[in-house]
Amino acid sequence: MKIQADTIIYDMQKIADYQADSRFDYNSQLDLPEYTWFDVVSRWFNRLINSIFRGEFEENITTPVMVIVFILVLLTILFFLYKKRPELFMRSKKTASTPYDTEEENIHRINFDKEISLALNKGDYRLAIRLLYLQTLRFLSDNQLIDWQIHKTPTEYLYEIKNKEMKLPFRELTNHFLQVRYGNYEASLGLYETMYGIRNHLKNIREGETG
C-alpha cells in the first residue's frame, strides 16, 4: 500500500503577518524587568526598615532615608580616618632638603643639637622644625611616655599621651609639624621658636612630675 506524503504549504505572507502581530509575541512575556544595583539595594533597605518599624514606612520614603544613612556612614568613616591619619587630608609639599622623616629615621641615632644648629644656620627652617619634632619624640620615648616605633604616625603618639597636662601642648606641637610637613604652611624662624617653647613646656611639666 502506497502512503501519500503529507505536504505543508508554507505561506510566507501569513508568517510575516503573525510575526508583526503583537498578540503573538510570546517572547515579550518572558522578558524580566531590569533592575539596577540601586534598585536592589533600595528594595533590600525598604524591607529592612519596614521589618524594624513594622511596615510604617512607605517605599518612597525609604530611599531618601537610605541616602541620608549612607552619607552619615561615609562622614563617620572620613572622620575616623582624619583622626587616625590627618596627613592624608593635607596637601603634600615635597622638598629635597628634608632628609629626616618620622617614618624612616631612627630618632635614637640623630645628634639633634648638631643637626638643628646646622639647619638654623642655613636658614632651613623646614628641616629645623622636623628635627625639633623628632627630638620631642625622643624626649617622650626616653621618659616612657610613648612607645616609639619607626612605622608609627604622629597621630598615634597623640593617643599614647595619657597625661592631660601634656596632651594639649603636644597636640599643638604635632599640628604645627603636620601643617609644615604635609600642608602648605610656611616654615619660619618664628614658628620654630614657637614649637621650641612648646617642647620646653613639655620638659618642664615632666620635670615637675619627677622632681
Side-chain angles (χ1 to χ4, degrees):
M1 180 178 179
K2 187 176 180 181
I3 301 176
Q4 186 176 0
D6 187 14
T7 60
I8 299 177
I9 300 175
Y10 189 81
D11 192 329
M12 295 291 294
Q13 183 58 44
K14 287 186 177 182
I15 295 298
D17 292 340
Y18 288 141
Q19 290 178 340
D21 194 336
S22 60
R23 294 176 299 173
F24 298 98
D25 187 10
Y26 300 113
N27 290 331
S28 63
Q29 301 177 16
L30 301 177
D31 291 341
L32 297 176
E34 296 183 1
Y35 294 109
T36 65
W37 67 268
F38 184 82
D39 295 328
V40 175
V41 174
S42 180
R43 288 173 179 269
W44 169 83
F45 189 78
N46 180 59
R47 290 194 297 270
L48 176 64
I49 290 295
N50 281 285
S51 66
I52 296 175
F53 295 96
R54 300 180 180 179
E56 296 180 2
F57 279 83
E58 299 292 338
E59 186 172 356
N60 60 343
I61 298 179
T62 56
T63 298
V65 171
M66 183 183 67
V67 174
I68 293 173
V69 170
F70 175 78
I71 294 174
L72 290 176
V73 171
L74 180 60
L75 291 177
T76 302
I77 294 174
L78 291 175
F79 173 76
F80 282 106
L81 185 61
Y82 174 76
K83 297 293 288 186
K84 191 71 174 178
R85 298 290 300 274
E87 65 271 17
L88 297 177
F89 297 85
M90 297 183 178
R91 296 177 60 186
S92 177
K93 187 176 181 181
K94 298 180 179 179
T95 60
S97 61
T98 53
Y100 297 106
D101 200 330
T102 56
E103 296 85 4
E104 299 176 359
E105 190 66 24
N106 190 328
I107 61 175
H108 298 287
R109 298 176 182 175
I110 303 175
N111 185 336
F112 286 107
D113 291 335
K114 175 184 176 182
E115 297 297 336
I116 290 176
S117 179
L118 290 174
L120 291 175
N121 289 336
K122 292 189 300 182
D124 192 347
Y125 302 122
R126 178 177 291 272
L127 177 57
I129 286 173
R130 180 181 295 187
L131 290 169
L132 180 65
Y133 174 76
L134 294 175
Q135 187 182 37
T136 305
L137 294 183
R138 169 72 178 273
F139 162 74
L140 296 173
S141 176
D142 290 344
N143 284 271
Q144 290 79 50
L145 297 171
I146 61 171
D147 177 26
W148 180 84
Q149 298 292 334
I150 201 166
H151 63 275
K152 283 187 176 180
T153 64
T155 310
E156 290 180 274
Y157 296 121
L158 277 174
Y159 288 109
E160 294 181 14
I161 298 293
K162 304 304 180 184
N163 186 312
K164 294 181 179 180
E165 192 177 359
M166 299 184 70
K167 195 177 188 70
L168 185 59
F170 181 60
R171 180 184 296 277
E172 183 181 358
L173 185 139
T174 300
N175 288 339
H176 286 315
F177 167 73
L178 291 175
Q179 288 169 349
V180 171
R181 176 68 177 87
Y182 298 102
N184 207 18
Y185 284 74
E186 179 184 0
S188 64
L189 178 60
L191 181 58
Y192 169 82
E193 292 175 343
T194 297
M195 294 178 64
Y196 182 82
I198 296 173
R199 197 280 307 271
N200 285 344
H201 180 52
L202 290 171
K203 294 179 66 175
N204 291 335
I205 294 174
R206 184 58 178 172
E207 291 172 359
E209 291 178 342
T210 59

